[in-house]
Amino acid sequence: MIQLTTQLDRAFPGVGTVISDLFGTGIGRLVIAEFTDPTHLTKLGTKGLIAFAADHGLRLEHPRAERLVAAAADALPTPHAALARQAIARDRILLADLEAQITEATARIAELIPASPFETLMSVPGWGPARIGNYAGALGDPERWARPRSTEPLDWCQPSMNPPASVETDTSAEKGACRCAAP
């Protein structure tokens, strides 16, 4: 994705100042797919861009559309813009293939979960097949644990999660990264 972003910078300098997450938003992906040439976006104008986005099932607010069109108008042509647009077209094909593989793997994991001891995790809000698969892979066979509560410290030792009040964090190496307090 870094390569694709770099090529987009060459083809449409300044677009990253208007859309910070080009891959994570529908409008960002629309720009990558349709507007690597800023002159095309400039000719379309604000109202045309909003209508174009709507035709693709996306809602684009007027202020952001204005900023995109202004960035396109301010974009200076670079000597390698045409070559960058060709690279973007090739990279989009690779990205679509990668996303298809991820979708296929996620679907396969979703098929396996009901037959596993991790089936109940599907009822946890925000947990999908990919997250459950990561959790199951990290935990391993639950039968190797003496009792269910022995896995509790592992649940809250993930840096992206906040521990509950019953978990005390400890930075000393002898005691481990975190431990559960007595209830």
Side-chain angles (χ1 to χ4, degrees), residues 28-170:
R29 288 188 174 259
L30 182 69
V31 167
I32 292 169
E34 303 290 339
F35 299 111
T36 56
D37 185 352
T39 58
H40 177 59
L41 185 56
T42 304
K43 289 177 186 174
L44 199 57
T46 303
K47 289 183 181 179
L49 176 58
I50 292 171
F52 190 86
D55 289 344
H56 287 80
L58 299 170
R59 182 171 171 225
L60 180 59
E61 300 287 334
H62 195 272
R64 177 162 289 182
E66 281 181 335
R67 289 194 309 269
L68 272 169
V69 172
D74 291 344
L76 297 173
T78 62
H80 303 291
L83 186 60
R85 282 191 280 281
Q86 291 173 359
I88 290 168
R90 286 191 307 270
D91 287 349
R92 282 185 51 236
I93 293 168
L94 294 173
L95 181 61
D97 182 50
L98 177 63
E99 288 174 338
Q101 290 177 36
I102 290 170
T103 301
E104 184 180 323
T106 302
R108 181 67 181 125
I109 290 170
E111 291 172 6
L112 296 172
I113 290 172
S116 76
F118 303 99
E119 178 183 21
T120 57
L121 293 177
M122 287 299 287
S123 64
V124 177
W127 281 56
R131 188 173 197 177
I132 294 169
N134 285 336
Y135 181 83
L139 185 63
D141 181 13
E143 296 298 317
R144 72 187 178 119
W145 301 95
R147 54 192 170 82
R149 286 187 62 91
S150 9
T151 63
E152 219 171 68
L154 296 175
D155 294 342
W156 303 107
C157 288
Q158 299 176 25
S160 63
M161 298 179 76
N162 295 322
S166 65
V167 175
E168 297 174 9
T169 55
D170 192 342

